Amino acid sequence: EKPGNLILVIFGASGDLTARKLIPALFSLKIQKLLPERFAVIGCGRSVFSDPEFRTKMKESIIAFSEEKDPDEKSVDEFVESISYLMLNNEKLPDYHKLREILVERTKSMSIVANYIFYMATPPSMYSVIAENLHEAGLSVQHDGFRRLIIEKPFGYDLESGRELNRKLHEMVDESQIYRIDHY
């Protein structure tokens, strides 16, 4: 079953996890026709990229790391057109306001409900910082679509820090909005 139309925001998009795992996996889902009809990715990171530069990097990643045997260049090109990039400092609230503006504009241009998945492909020390800034910018509230936070393992450094992260997250979002995963 295909999920509903949505926008996936990847924090840490200029990093290795995004290039080696996330984007190639999303491309594979596209090839298998398992992505929504209307789908976009907004990569957020500290590195400086234009949209075309980031798309080129992601195209190279798909070709190098995709499990699809000899991916069709036209399919790759079509897929990377759904990807854009925003230079964002995870610790600066004004950057999240800019992200919100982009999400509102993209949601309108795609004619979709505001369904957003926020994927934290960042060091664990950034999880609560990103969640807090999403909350402060009004991006974690589910009033006109769903909001999901995907948090990569490790979830805390030990039991106590894991509990503390849970406590902080539950101040901002419901448990049903949190997905804790291990990409391996």
Side-chain angles (χ1 to χ4, degrees), residues 35-60:
L35 284 182
E37 181 181 323
R38 295 185 193 143
F39 174 78
V41 175
I42 299 173
C44 298
R46 293 177 300 175
S47 300
V48 178
F49 287 109
S50 66
D51 283 347
E53 290 168 335
F54 189 67
R55 288 181 185 126
T56 297
K57 178 180 176 171
M58 295 302 102
K59 179 178 178 176
E60 291 168 355

Side-chain angles (χ1 to χ4, degrees), residues 131-144:
E132 288 171 19
N133 281 318
L134 287 169
H135 179 72
E136 290 298 317
L139 286 168
S140 61
V141 178
Q142 300 187 107
H143 60 275
D144 61 343

